Structure formats: structure tokens, C-alpha cells
């Protein structure tokens, strides 16, 4: 990676980062976007996006993100890969430490997004990759004609349950309350699907298996307190996400859940550093709101740089 002074470094290549990159590179600011692994963020694990405007009938998540990336590169956005480890404030210059190397920028936009939350029960870690998964889109096809379960009651759980019906013989949704949090249209599809059964007011106590992989889970009814085993070959955990900002805990203000705190214009507690998308504390986490955030952060970054000229 070069040691030039970039106008902007964007950390993270999901919808918020790519939108910020589109705006700043189109504004002729020299912009480097650093991504840890795969461009596109969480949308890459979504089979069909139905609520992003402009795509009647829905659009495949990876296809949408490929379009975002191509669009940015039309305006000269530079993309590089590496793990950002730290951010150092040197006033008008910020240092972004990537895999031990120091990159320089006049301002920084953080769009690192979020990652799936873990259940934290016995057996979860042991059987991850051998029955336990955090991504139905990625792993669903390995579970043909066997019973599987999703834990969670949000949009992700609902969408993944519907996706898994393509492969599994039976899909249980295990939810800790007596109503789902998922949007109405997804709920209607779930209740109408013959392969899906919702197990209400229930949590998972542990994941059980042997050397061949997971075999069952131990369920606990939260109302009666009774426990019972449920035979399963796969367990998909969809209980929400945690923001990827822990590496910034020493330098930026975060909330108790680890989100970066910003003002409505995406400014963080460090002058010249902005945050956009799921990593920042906000009400609604959608592709559309990540895009909105990315645009706001980019415009605010541009204004910050202009004020210094
Ligand atoms: P979410 O909306 O936060 O839902 C998490 C679900 O997991 C909730 O039902 C919650 O139960 C349950 N849960 C949390 N911790 C748990 C635990 N320890 N044990 C058991 N269950 C637990 O998360 P999400 O579904 O991943 O969605 C994240 C965001 O992305 C949301 O804003 C969502 O709308 C958005 N999203 C949107 C779409 C779409 O629009 N197409 C698709 C996917 C995600 P409670 O209900 O009891 O709290």
C-alpha cells in the first residue's frame, strides 16, 4: 500500500462505504477504501433484496453490491484489502493502521458494519461449521432433506427460514417470545409455509452432537421451564448483529453495545472522522439507510476538508 496522503480513507466495503466512496470520488477527492475480506458487506449473504428501491421483483444481494462497486470505480475509487487495526489522530492528518502499516488520510469514514451475534451456549462454538451456522445463504445447501432450525424472530431469521425451505425437510423457527419481530409480509409467508413450524417462547440451552457433527439441541420452554431435546442436523443463528467497532474502543466514543456514537451528520467524537451504516448507533438498519448515511458522511467529509483549505 502506498504512503501517499489520501483525502479520504473509507474503512469497510458494504453499502455505506461504497456509497461514501461514490460521492467522494465523484467529488474528485482522492479516496482509498480498505476492505477486510469481501466487498459488499452483509448484503452478500442475502439471496433476494426486495426493499431496495428501483428493483421491482427484487434483486440478488451480490448482484446489487457488484453494481455498487462498478459504479464507484467509474469515478476512480481505489480499493485495497487489509485488516484495519487502529486509528490515530494527528490533527489534520489521520493514521489508519492496516496490517501493521500506517496509511495517511486527511479524514476517515468508518463503515465497518456489523457481524452476527453469538448465542453463547454450550456446544455452539464446538459445532460451528459442523451444524451450527450464521449464514443460511452460505451454508443452506449443505442441509438437503434434513431438519434444521433457525433461532431468532427478526427479518434475518424470517428470510433465512424461507430460504432454507428450498433444501431442508423441515424448518423450525425457535423464538424466545410469542410474537415475531419480522415485518408483516415475511410473517405471512412463514405462517403459510407448510415446511415451517414456529416454536414459541423457547430458548436453546445447548447444542449436542458427536464426532460426526451436531445431532440435536436442548430446548427450554420459557413459560413452563420444561426442557426437551429436538433432533436437528443444522442450527442457523439469526439473533441480530453486533457492530464491528471494538478495535476503535480506545479512540472513539461507543455506546454500551459497541456502536459508534455520532451526531445526525455522522460526525464521531474525533474531529475529521465520520461513521456511517450499521456500525453507528441509529434506529433503522437497512441497505437504504446505509446508503443514506454513506452519502451524508461523504458530504460532511467534503465540507470538513473544504473548511481546512
Ligand atoms: P433483529 O431485528 O435485532 O432481531 C433479532 C432477533 O433475535 C429478535 O427476534 C430477538 O428476539 C432475537 N434474539 C436476540 N438475542 C437473542 C438471544 N440471545 N437468544 C434468542 N433470541 C435472541 O436482527 P436481524 O433480524 O438480524 O435484523 C437486523 C437488522 O437488519 C434489523 O433492523 C432488520 O430489520 C434488518 N434486516 C432487514 C431485512 C430486510 O428488510 N429485508 C433483512 C434482514 C435484516 P426479540 O424479538 O425477543 O428481541
Amino acid at each position: 500500500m502506498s504512503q501517499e496522503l489520501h483525502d479520504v480513507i473509507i474503512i469497510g466495503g458494504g453499502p455505506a462505504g461504497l456509497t461514501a466512496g461514490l460521492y467522494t470520488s465523484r467529488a474528485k477527492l482522492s479516496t482509498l477504501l480498505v476492505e477486510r475480506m469481501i466487498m459488499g458487506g452483509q448484503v452478500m449473504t442475502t439471496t433476494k433484496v426486495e426493499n431496495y428501491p428501483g428493483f421491482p421483483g427484487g434483486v440478488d444481494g451480490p448482484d446489487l453490491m457488484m453494481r455498487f462497486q462498478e459504479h464507484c470505480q467509474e469515478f476512480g475509487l481505489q480499493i485495497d484489502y487489509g485488516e484495519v487495526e487502529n486509528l490515530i489522530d494527528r490533527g489534520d492528518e489521520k493514521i489508519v493502521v492496516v496490517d501493521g502499516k500506517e496509511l495517511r488520510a486527511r479524514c476517515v469514514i468508518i463503515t465497518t458494519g456489523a457481524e452476527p451475534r453469538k448465542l453463547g451456549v454450550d456446544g455452539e462454538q464446538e459445532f460451528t461449521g459442523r451444524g451450527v451456522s450464521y449464514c443460511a445463504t452460505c451454508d443452506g445447501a449443505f442441509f438437503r432433506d434434513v431438519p434444521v432450525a433457525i433461532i431468532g424472530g427478526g427479518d434475518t431469521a424470517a428470510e433465512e427460514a424461507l430460504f432454507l425451505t428450498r433444501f431442508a425437510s423441515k424448518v423450525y423457527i425457535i423464538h424466545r417470545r410469542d410474537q415475531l419481530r419480522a415485518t408483516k409480509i415475511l410473517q405471512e409467508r412463514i405462517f403459510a409455509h407448510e415446511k415451517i413450524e414456529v416454536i414459541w417462547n423457547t430458548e436453546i440451552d445447548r447444542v449436542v452432537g458427536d464426532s460426526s457433527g451436531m445431532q440435536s439441541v436442548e430446548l427450554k420452554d420459557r413459560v413452563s421451564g420444561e426442557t426437551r431435546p429436538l433432533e436437528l442436523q443444522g442450527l442457523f443463528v439469526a439473533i441480530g448483529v453486533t457492530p464491528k467497532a471494538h478495535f476503535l474502543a480506545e479512540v472513539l466514543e461507543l455506546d454500551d453495545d459497541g456502536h459508534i456514537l455520532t451526531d445526525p451528520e455522522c460526525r464521531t467524537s474525533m474531529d475529521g472522522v465520520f461513521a456511517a451504516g450499521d456500525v453507528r448507533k441509529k434506529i433503522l438498519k437497512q441497505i437504504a439507510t446505509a446508503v443514506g448515511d454513506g452519502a451524508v458522511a461523504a458530504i460532511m467529509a467534503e465540507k470538513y476538508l473544504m473548511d481546512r483549505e
Side-chain angles (χ1 to χ4, degrees), residues 51-53 286-293:
N51 55 359
Y52 190 69
Q286 299 275 307
I287 305 171
T289 60
V291 164
D293 263 13

Side-chain angles (χ1 to χ4, degrees), residues 51 152-156 159 175-177 181 238-240 285-286:
N51 55 359
D155 285 329
T156 304
E159 281 187 350
H175 185 40
R176 64 183 178 184
R177 289 189 297 128
R181 183 184 287 274
I239 59 167
K285 292 177 178 172
Q286 299 275 307

Side-chain angles (χ1 to χ4, degrees), residues 26 39 49 64 82 98 114 127 132 184 199 227 230 244 255:
R26 187 166 175 271
M39 295 293 292
V49 177
L64 180 64
V98 184
F127 293 106
V132 176
K184 263 265 164 322
I199 304 178
T227 59
L230 177 68
K244 288 190 273 184
D255 74 358

Side-chain angles (χ1 to χ4, degrees), residues 49-164:
V49 177
E50 278 186 338
N51 55 359
Y52 190 69
F55 294 90
V59 55
D60 178 68
D63 283 354
L64 180 64
M65 288 301 99
M66 189 56 75
R67 283 175 182 241
F68 270 52
Q69 192 175 334
E70 281 170 15
H71 196 171
C72 292
Q73 287 180 312
E74 232 174 67
F75 293 104
L77 175 71
Q78 299 173 61
I79 295 176
D80 218 330
Y81 291 87
E83 174 111 30
V84 175
E85 292 152 353
N86 203 0
L87 175 63
I88 301 163
D89 190 7
R90 296 214 180 121
D92 283 350
E93 196 172 308
K94 313 291 168 199
I95 305 297
V96 178
V97 183
V98 184
D99 295 329
K101 284 190 209 125
E102 294 194 349
L103 303 186
R104 300 159 60 220
R106 296 171 64 208
C107 69
V108 172
I109 302 175
I110 302 161
T111 56
T112 41
E115 60 197 346
R117 187 179 289 150
K118 305 267 190 305
L119 263 179
V121 299
D122 281 355
E124 179 184 18
Q125 202 178 331
E126 185 184 348
F127 293 106
T128 293
R130 299 196 297 134
V132 176
S133 166
Y134 299 86
C135 176
T137 322
C138 320
D139 300 329
F142 297 122
F143 296 86
R144 284 178 199 273
D145 304 318
V146 292
V148 300
I150 286 265
I151 177 149
D155 285 329
T156 304
E159 281 187 350
E160 296 207 337
L162 289 162
F163 176 71
L164 286 167

